[in-house]
Amino acid sequence: HLSKDYIIKSFENGSEVLESIKEEHPDLIISDTVLHGMSGNELSSRLKTSGDTSIIPIILYGSHIDIDRRHKRETSLADTFLYIPFHIEDLKIEITVLIRNSRFLRKSFLQKIFGEQFLKIKENENLNEDNYVFIDRVKDYILKNIDQENLTIDEVASELYMSRTTFFNKWKSLTGEAPKFFIFRI
């Protein structure tokens, strides 16, 4: 149900999940409370108490008839817990909200660390309104794709319907820096 909107990786063993997550840093984790090798509760707790993975949203799901469910829910530290059976549309809403909130928190964190100015281009007399719109479109695209660690200048140029060279030259003439440095700063 989710593979048409998201890239999905499935695992049955909690230990395999830990290794994969540390390499790939997914946008979201959805886990059953029952996994081979490690429970979903333990997996969630380990991820949420690690500095490297604590920001990744986690949705756990399990049976509503589990006697110890309140304790498991509390110790898992998961962002959301769904009881089965659940409606796929409810899951999609949770996914959308958690990913959006996670991206907002990352952006806010970057602004707090680097200051409000970290996304601003120095005022330049040569910039007219069209150039400010161009710069804002670049900033917005980069922020929208902030989770994509391999974001390239080619992708940004393509979004603006420009060749890589044209984009590079325009950006350099307006800001005085290569676009890759702006991407790295963000």
PDB file of all heavy atoms in Angstrom, residues 61-81:
ATOM      1  N   TYR A  61       3.576  -0.706  15.861  1.00  0.00           N
ATOM      2  CA  TYR A  61       2.214  -1.209  15.873  1.00  0.00           C
ATOM      3  C   TYR A  61       2.197  -2.574  16.543  1.00  0.00           C
ATOM      4  O   TYR A  61       3.177  -3.314  16.532  1.00  0.00           O
ATOM      5  CB  TYR A  61       1.589  -1.260  14.478  1.00  0.00           C
ATOM      6  CG  TYR A  61       2.269  -2.191  13.497  1.00  0.00           C
ATOM      7  CD1 TYR A  61       1.859  -3.517  13.369  1.00  0.00           C
ATOM      8  CD2 TYR A  61       3.312  -1.737  12.691  1.00  0.00           C
ATOM      9  CE1 TYR A  61       2.471  -4.365  12.461  1.00  0.00           C
ATOM     10  CE2 TYR A  61       3.927  -2.573  11.788  1.00  0.00           C
ATOM     11  CZ  TYR A  61       3.502  -3.890  11.687  1.00  0.00           C
ATOM     12  OH  TYR A  61       4.118  -4.725  10.789  1.00  0.00           O
ATOM     13  N   GLY A  62       1.093  -2.851  17.209  1.00  0.00           N
ATOM     14  CA  GLY A  62       0.970  -4.119  17.913  1.00  0.00           C
ATOM     15  C   GLY A  62      -0.469  -4.373  18.306  1.00  0.00           C
ATOM     16  O   GLY A  62      -1.373  -3.574  18.043  1.00  0.00           O
ATOM     17  N   SER A  63      -0.662  -5.470  19.000  1.00  0.00           N
ATOM     18  CA  SER A  63      -1.987  -5.919  19.382  1.00  0.00           C
ATOM     19  C   SER A  63      -2.526  -5.102  20.557  1.00  0.00           C
ATOM     20  O   SER A  63      -1.805  -4.800  21.504  1.00  0.00           O
ATOM     21  CB  SER A  63      -1.927  -7.395  19.782  1.00  0.00           C
ATOM     22  OG  SER A  63      -3.152  -7.802  20.325  1.00  0.00           O
ATOM     23  N   HIS A  64      -3.798  -4.791  20.504  1.00  0.00           N
ATOM     24  CA  HIS A  64      -4.426  -4.060  21.611  1.00  0.00           C
ATOM     25  C   HIS A  64      -4.737  -4.982  22.785  1.00  0.00           C
ATOM     26  O   HIS A  64      -5.087  -4.524  23.858  1.00  0.00           O
ATOM     27  CB  HIS A  64      -5.696  -3.336  21.141  1.00  0.00           C
ATOM     28  CG  HIS A  64      -6.805  -4.253  20.758  1.00  0.00           C
ATOM     29  ND1 HIS A  64      -6.790  -4.963  19.590  1.00  0.00           N
ATOM     30  CD2 HIS A  64      -7.949  -4.586  21.406  1.00  0.00           C
ATOM     31  CE1 HIS A  64      -7.899  -5.691  19.515  1.00  0.00           C
ATOM     32  NE2 HIS A  64      -8.608  -5.484  20.589  1.00  0.00           N
ATOM     33  N   ILE A  65      -4.605  -6.298  22.596  1.00  0.00           N
ATOM     34  CA  ILE A  65      -4.900  -7.238  23.684  1.00  0.00           C
ATOM     35  C   ILE A  65      -3.649  -7.619  24.484  1.00  0.00           C
ATOM     36  O   ILE A  65      -3.729  -8.372  25.434  1.00  0.00           O
ATOM     37  CB  ILE A  65      -5.597  -8.517  23.162  1.00  0.00           C
ATOM     38  CG1 ILE A  65      -4.739  -9.227  22.122  1.00  0.00           C
ATOM     39  CG2 ILE A  65      -6.966  -8.185  22.616  1.00  0.00           C
ATOM     40  CD1 ILE A  65      -5.296 -10.579  21.698  1.00  0.00           C
ATOM     41  N   ASP A  66      -2.495  -7.061  24.139  1.00  0.00           N
ATOM     42  CA  ASP A  66      -1.261  -7.307  24.877  1.00  0.00           C
ATOM     43  C   ASP A  66      -1.403  -6.732  26.290  1.00  0.00           C
ATOM     44  O   ASP A  66      -1.641  -5.543  26.479  1.00  0.00           O
ATOM     45  CB  ASP A  66      -0.081  -6.660  24.136  1.00  0.00           C
ATOM     46  CG  ASP A  66       1.258  -6.978  24.759  1.00  0.00           C
ATOM     47  OD1 ASP A  66       1.286  -7.552  25.868  1.00  0.00           O
ATOM     48  OD2 ASP A  66       2.276  -6.653  24.140  1.00  0.00           O
ATOM     49  N   ILE A  67      -1.261  -7.571  27.295  1.00  0.00           N
ATOM     50  CA  ILE A  67      -1.453  -7.163  28.692  1.00  0.00           C
ATOM     51  C   ILE A  67      -0.441  -6.091  29.107  1.00  0.00           C
ATOM     52  O   ILE A  67      -0.758  -5.173  29.846  1.00  0.00           O
ATOM     53  CB  ILE A  67      -1.330  -8.394  29.626  1.00  0.00           C
ATOM     54  CG1 ILE A  67      -2.463  -9.366  29.305  1.00  0.00           C
ATOM     55  CG2 ILE A  67      -1.361  -7.989  31.091  1.00  0.00           C
ATOM     56  CD1 ILE A  67      -2.318 -10.706  29.987  1.00  0.00           C
ATOM     57  N   ASP A  68       0.769  -6.184  28.607  1.00  0.00           N
ATOM     58  CA  ASP A  68       1.851  -5.282  29.015  1.00  0.00           C
ATOM     59  C   ASP A  68       2.038  -4.115  28.047  1.00  0.00           C
ATOM     60  O   ASP A  68       3.086  -3.500  28.002  1.00  0.00           O
ATOM     61  CB  ASP A  68       3.140  -6.106  29.131  1.00  0.00           C
ATOM     62  CG  ASP A  68       4.184  -5.454  30.003  1.00  0.00           C
ATOM     63  OD1 ASP A  68       3.805  -4.633  30.859  1.00  0.00           O
ATOM     64  OD2 ASP A  68       5.372  -5.754  29.818  1.00  0.00           O
ATOM     65  N   ARG A  69       1.017  -3.791  27.272  1.00  0.00           N
ATOM     66  CA  ARG A  69       1.166  -2.814  26.194  1.00  0.00           C
ATOM     67  C   ARG A  69       1.526  -1.412  26.686  1.00  0.00           C
ATOM     68  O   ARG A  69       2.285  -0.719  26.036  1.00  0.00           O
ATOM     69  CB  ARG A  69      -0.074  -2.776  25.313  1.00  0.00           C
ATOM     70  CG  ARG A  69      -1.284  -2.128  25.943  1.00  0.00           C
ATOM     71  CD  ARG A  69      -2.459  -2.076  24.966  1.00  0.00           C
ATOM     72  NE  ARG A  69      -3.544  -1.366  25.561  1.00  0.00           N
ATOM     73  CZ  ARG A  69      -4.665  -1.916  25.973  1.00  0.00           C
ATOM     74  NH1 ARG A  69      -4.843  -3.215  25.849  1.00  0.00           N
ATOM     75  NH2 ARG A  69      -5.601  -1.193  26.525  1.00  0.00           N
ATOM     76  N   ARG A  70       0.977  -0.984  27.824  1.00  0.00           N
ATOM     77  CA  ARG A  70       1.279   0.369  28.317  1.00  0.00           C
ATOM     78  C   ARG A  70       2.760   0.505  28.664  1.00  0.00           C
ATOM     79  O   ARG A  70       3.396   1.502  28.319  1.00  0.00           O
ATOM     80  CB  ARG A  70       0.409   0.702  29.523  1.00  0.00           C
ATOM     81  CG  ARG A  70      -1.006   1.023  29.147  1.00  0.00           C
ATOM     82  CD  ARG A  70      -1.801   1.582  30.327  1.00  0.00           C
ATOM     83  NE  ARG A  70      -3.133   1.910  29.905  1.00  0.00           N
ATOM     84  CZ  ARG A  70      -4.177   1.119  30.076  1.00  0.00           C
ATOM     85  NH1 ARG A  70      -4.043  -0.057  30.659  1.00  0.00           N
ATOM     86  NH2 ARG A  70      -5.367   1.493  29.652  1.00  0.00           N
ATOM     87  N   HIS A  71       3.292  -0.501  29.340  1.00  0.00           N
ATOM     88  CA  HIS A  71       4.714  -0.469  29.703  1.00  0.00           C
ATOM     89  C   HIS A  71       5.584  -0.519  28.448  1.00  0.00           C
ATOM     90  O   HIS A  71       6.562   0.232  28.326  1.00  0.00           O
ATOM     91  CB  HIS A  71       5.057  -1.631  30.639  1.00  0.00           C
ATOM     92  CG  HIS A  71       6.508  -1.721  30.959  1.00  0.00           C
ATOM     93  ND1 HIS A  71       7.143  -0.789  31.759  1.00  0.00           N
ATOM     94  CD2 HIS A  71       7.461  -2.603  30.566  1.00  0.00           C
ATOM     95  CE1 HIS A  71       8.430  -1.104  31.839  1.00  0.00           C
ATOM     96  NE2 HIS A  71       8.642  -2.205  31.140  1.00  0.00           N
ATOM     97  N   LYS A  72       5.229  -1.372  27.495  1.00  0.00           N
ATOM     98  CA  LYS A  72       5.995  -1.477  26.246  1.00  0.00           C
ATOM     99  C   LYS A  72       5.955  -0.160  25.494  1.00  0.00           C
ATOM    100  O   LYS A  72       6.961   0.290  24.949  1.00  0.00           O
ATOM    101  CB  LYS A  72       5.452  -2.608  25.368  1.00  0.00           C
ATOM    102  CG  LYS A  72       5.771  -3.978  25.888  1.00  0.00           C
ATOM    103  CD  LYS A  72       5.183  -5.044  24.989  1.00  0.00           C
ATOM    104  CE  LYS A  72       5.500  -6.432  25.498  1.00  0.00           C
ATOM    105  NZ  LYS A  72       4.888  -7.467  24.664  1.00  0.00           N
ATOM    106  N   ARG A  73       4.795   0.464  25.450  1.00  0.00           N
ATOM    107  CA  ARG A  73       4.642   1.747  24.747  1.00  0.00           C
ATOM    108  C   ARG A  73       5.537   2.801  25.383  1.00  0.00           C
ATOM    109  O   ARG A  73       6.220   3.550  24.711  1.00  0.00           O
ATOM    110  CB  ARG A  73       3.167   2.171  24.783  1.00  0.00           C
ATOM    111  CG  ARG A  73       2.908   3.605  24.356  1.00  0.00           C
ATOM    112  CD  ARG A  73       3.188   3.802  22.867  1.00  0.00           C
ATOM    113  NE  ARG A  73       2.962   5.154  22.473  1.00  0.00           N
ATOM    114  CZ  ARG A  73       3.922   6.052  22.237  1.00  0.00           C
ATOM    115  NH1 ARG A  73       5.170   5.721  22.382  1.00  0.00           N
ATOM    116  NH2 ARG A  73       3.627   7.274  21.863  1.00  0.00           N
ATOM    117  N   GLU A  74       5.554   2.845  26.702  1.00  0.00           N
ATOM    118  CA  GLU A  74       6.349   3.849  27.416  1.00  0.00           C
ATOM    119  C   GLU A  74       7.848   3.614  27.238  1.00  0.00           C
ATOM    120  O   GLU A  74       8.603   4.549  26.988  1.00  0.00           O
ATOM    121  CB  GLU A  74       5.998   3.813  28.903  1.00  0.00           C
ATOM    122  CG  GLU A  74       6.711   4.865  29.713  1.00  0.00           C
ATOM    123  CD  GLU A  74       6.333   4.809  31.183  1.00  0.00           C
ATOM    124  OE1 GLU A  74       5.418   4.049  31.558  1.00  0.00           O
ATOM    125  OE2 GLU A  74       6.976   5.525  31.948  1.00  0.00           O
ATOM    126  N   THR A  75       8.292   2.385  27.320  1.00  0.00           N
ATOM    127  CA  THR A  75       9.730   2.107  27.228  1.00  0.00           C
ATOM    128  C   THR A  75      10.251   2.144  25.797  1.00  0.00           C
ATOM    129  O   THR A  75      11.443   2.287  25.587  1.00  0.00           O
ATOM    130  CB  THR A  75      10.067   0.739  27.853  1.00  0.00           C
ATOM    131  OG1 THR A  75       9.325  -0.283  27.191  1.00  0.00           O
ATOM    132  CG2 THR A  75       9.773   0.741  29.345  1.00  0.00           C
ATOM    133  N   SER A  76       9.368   2.022  24.815  1.00  0.00           N
ATOM    134  CA  SER A  76       9.812   2.009  23.421  1.00  0.00           C
ATOM    135  C   SER A  76      10.279   3.384  22.956  1.00  0.00           C
ATOM    136  O   SER A  76      11.088   3.490  22.043  1.00  0.00           O
ATOM    137  CB  SER A  76       8.692   1.530  22.497  1.00  0.00           C
ATOM    138  OG  SER A  76       7.693   2.519  22.380  1.00  0.00           O
ATOM    139  N   LEU A  77       9.724   4.453  23.538  1.00  0.00           N
ATOM    140  CA  LEU A  77      10.015   5.839  23.148  1.00  0.00           C
ATOM    141  C   LEU A  77       9.589   6.154  21.715  1.00  0.00           C
ATOM    142  O   LEU A  77      10.010   7.154  21.143  1.00  0.00           O
ATOM    143  CB  LEU A  77      11.499   6.168  23.329  1.00  0.00           C
ATOM    144  CG  LEU A  77      12.070   5.959  24.728  1.00  0.00           C
ATOM    145  CD1 LEU A  77      13.574   6.182  24.712  1.00  0.00           C
ATOM    146  CD2 LEU A  77      11.397   6.866  25.734  1.00  0.00           C
ATOM    147  N   ALA A  78       8.763   5.295  21.118  1.00  0.00           N
ATOM    148  CA  ALA A  78       8.286   5.515  19.746  1.00  0.00           C
ATOM    149  C   ALA A  78       7.443   6.783  19.674  1.00  0.00           C
ATOM    150  O   ALA A  78       6.826   7.196  20.656  1.00  0.00           O
ATOM    151  CB  ALA A  78       7.458   4.318  19.283  1.00  0.00           C
ATOM    152  N   ASP A  79       7.429   7.403  18.506  1.00  0.00           N
ATOM    153  CA  ASP A  79       6.657   8.623  18.304  1.00  0.00           C
ATOM    154  C   ASP A  79       5.159   8.345  18.261  1.00  0.00           C
ATOM    155  O   ASP A  79       4.366   9.157  18.721  1.00  0.00           O
ATOM    156  CB  ASP A  79       7.098   9.307  17.004  1.00  0.00           C
ATOM    157  CG  ASP A  79       8.539   9.757  17.090  1.00  0.00           C
ATOM    158  OD1 ASP A  79       8.789  10.807  17.700  1.00  0.00           O
ATOM    159  OD2 ASP A  79       9.411   9.054  16.559  1.00  0.00           O
ATOM    160  N   THR A  80       4.794   7.230  17.662  1.00  0.00           N
ATOM    161  CA  THR A  80       3.385   6.863  17.521  1.00  0.00           C
ATOM    162  C   THR A  80       3.240   5.366  17.716  1.00  0.00           C
ATOM    163  O   THR A  80       4.115   4.590  17.327  1.00  0.00           O
ATOM    164  CB  THR A  80       2.861   7.234  16.111  1.00  0.00           C
ATOM    165  OG1 THR A  80       3.026   8.636  15.912  1.00  0.00           O
ATOM    166  CG2 THR A  80       1.408   6.875  15.937  1.00  0.00           C
ATOM    167  N   PHE A  81       2.119   4.964  18.304  1.00  0.00           N
ATOM    168  CA  PHE A  81       1.819   3.546  18.458  1.00  0.00           C
ATOM    169  C   PHE A  81       0.423   3.311  17.902  1.00  0.00           C
ATOM    170  O   PHE A  81      -0.523   3.992  18.276  1.00  0.00           O
ATOM    171  CB  PHE A  81       1.869   3.126  19.932  1.00  0.00           C
ATOM    172  CG  PHE A  81       1.895   1.642  20.117  1.00  0.00           C
ATOM    173  CD1 PHE A  81       3.098   0.966  20.254  1.00  0.00           C
ATOM    174  CD2 PHE A  81       0.717   0.910  20.132  1.00  0.00           C
ATOM    175  CE1 PHE A  81       3.136  -0.411  20.407  1.00  0.00           C
ATOM    176  CE2 PHE A  81       0.744  -0.470  20.282  1.00  0.00           C
ATOM    177  CZ  PHE A  81       1.945  -1.124  20.424  1.00  0.00           C
TER     178      PHE A  81
END
